[in-house]
């Protein structure tokens, strides 16, 4: 599976309902043997195959030439199976409302897959 932006996030971006600049954006490691990307997935509660816990908020966010970037994140004290992807999401404090933003596959990013230890 190639990386993708979740359709609900695209919809929110087009309607100015998703402000990644002021919103709390986090990442979570994903085991693709357990989770398969689906365009129908909308919120954190739709995810399976989560390895460890979510990252701290992404800080120092920048937006240039259609690219989102931020300070490097670290997943601390993570153990479990190999993670072949990660998912970015808007953290609202309630999993049913945490909007999935992007599925990032190991084919499109360096550093993945990773085996936590």
């Amino acid at each position: 599976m190639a990386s993708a932006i979740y359709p609900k996030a695209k919809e929110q971006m087009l309607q100015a309902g998703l402000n990644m600049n002021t919103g709390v954006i986090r990442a979570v490691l994903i085991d693709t043997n357990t989770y398969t990307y689906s365009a129908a997935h909308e919120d954190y509660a739709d995810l399976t195959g989560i390895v460890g816990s979510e990252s701290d908020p992404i800080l120092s966010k920048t937006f240039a030439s259609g690219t989102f970037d931020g300070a490097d994140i670290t997943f601390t004290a993570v153990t479990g199976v190999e993670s072949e992807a990660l998912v970015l999401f808007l953290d609202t404090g309630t999993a049913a409302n945490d909007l999935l933003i992007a599925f990032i596959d190991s084919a499109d990013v360096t550093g993945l897959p990773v085996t936590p230890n």
Side-chain angles (χ1 to χ4, degrees), residues 20-101:
M20 291 177 62
N21 191 39
T22 59
V24 176
I25 309 300
R26 297 181 188 267
V28 66
L29 293 169
I30 298 291
D31 173 17
T32 58
N33 291 320
T34 305
Y35 175 77
T36 302
Y37 168 84
S38 170
H41 292 165
E42 297 180 1
D43 53 58
Y44 191 91
D46 289 328
L47 294 177
T48 58
I50 296 170
V51 179
S53 59
E54 58 203 38
S55 73
D56 287 334
I58 297 173
L59 303 174
S60 303
K61 296 178 276 190
T62 60
F63 308 87
S65 301
T67 301
F68 168 72
D69 196 7
D72 292 346
I73 55 173
T74 301
F75 294 93
T76 56
V78 177
T79 59
V81 299
E82 183 176 69
S83 302
E84 301 85 10
L86 60 89
V87 170
L88 297 179
F89 66 96
L90 174 68
D91 185 5
T92 65
T94 305
N97 297 327
D98 289 350
L99 181 67
L100 300 181
I101 299 170

